[in-house]
Amino acid sequence: MKNDRQQNDYENRIALELARLGIAQELITQKQLPFYVEAQELTIAETDDAGRAYQMTPATAAAWMAMKQAARQDNIVLEVVSAFRSIERQIEIIQYKLDRNMPIEKILTLSAPPGYSEHHTGRAIDINTPGCIATETEFEDTAAFCWLTANAGGFGFTLSYPRDNALGFIYEPWHWCFQADAPDENNI
């Protein structure tokens, strides 16, 4: 972030939300989760058939569109099912799981706490392909995943949560993050 006061305000806001959700700082420290700030500049990369707009940083949107077009040339259809997520949206996701009596330790294998989600950066994209249930492990068995594994790196995207990842998240073959434009202030 550009100044120390903004950074402190952001960190304090996250600390308050974590406390409200009952997420102990010790859990985050134990998992060694990277801290992310929300993207300051976003653009609508695309809008789906239901009218949902997906926001990304401008560089991520350009890379996504180029990658999607290259995949299409190889007869692979890539669809975005999630992109930028605000702190508020991440809180809703965690609260939904808490309201269903899911233990916080389990939640933190499925979802990052607010302030610790790559989606805040506007560079993370959850990807799917027709005929596959979104955000399910079966995505790894698709031609789209094979294509991404072979080609996404050339567009600046990396698989964030491979099997047995160090952060303790479940394997997410659908979650890819654009790294080519990652400014230092996105990860404090």
Side-chain angles (χ1 to χ4, degrees), residues 51 53 56-57 60 77-78 101 111 120 128 150-151 160 165-166 170 173:
M56 301 171 197
T57 65
T60 304
V77 177
L78 301 177
N101 298 315
S111 301
H120 298 329
N128 200 25
N151 297 286
S160 297
N165 62 79
I170 62 166

Side-chain angles (χ1 to χ4, degrees), residues 37 56-57 62 64-67 76 93 136 142 152 170:
V37 297
M56 301 171 197
T57 65
W64 163 247
M65 296 310 289
M67 183 169 73
I76 300 295
I93 290 168
E136 292 292 333
T142 66
I170 62 166

Side-chain angles (χ1 to χ4, degrees), residues 26-44:
E26 293 78 30
L27 281 174
I28 293 169
T29 302
Q30 179 183 14
K31 289 176 66 76
Q32 298 180 5
L33 297 178
F35 188 74
Y36 297 104
V37 297
E38 289 181 316
Q40 298 299 303
E41 183 180 2
L42 294 166
T43 188
I44 295 175

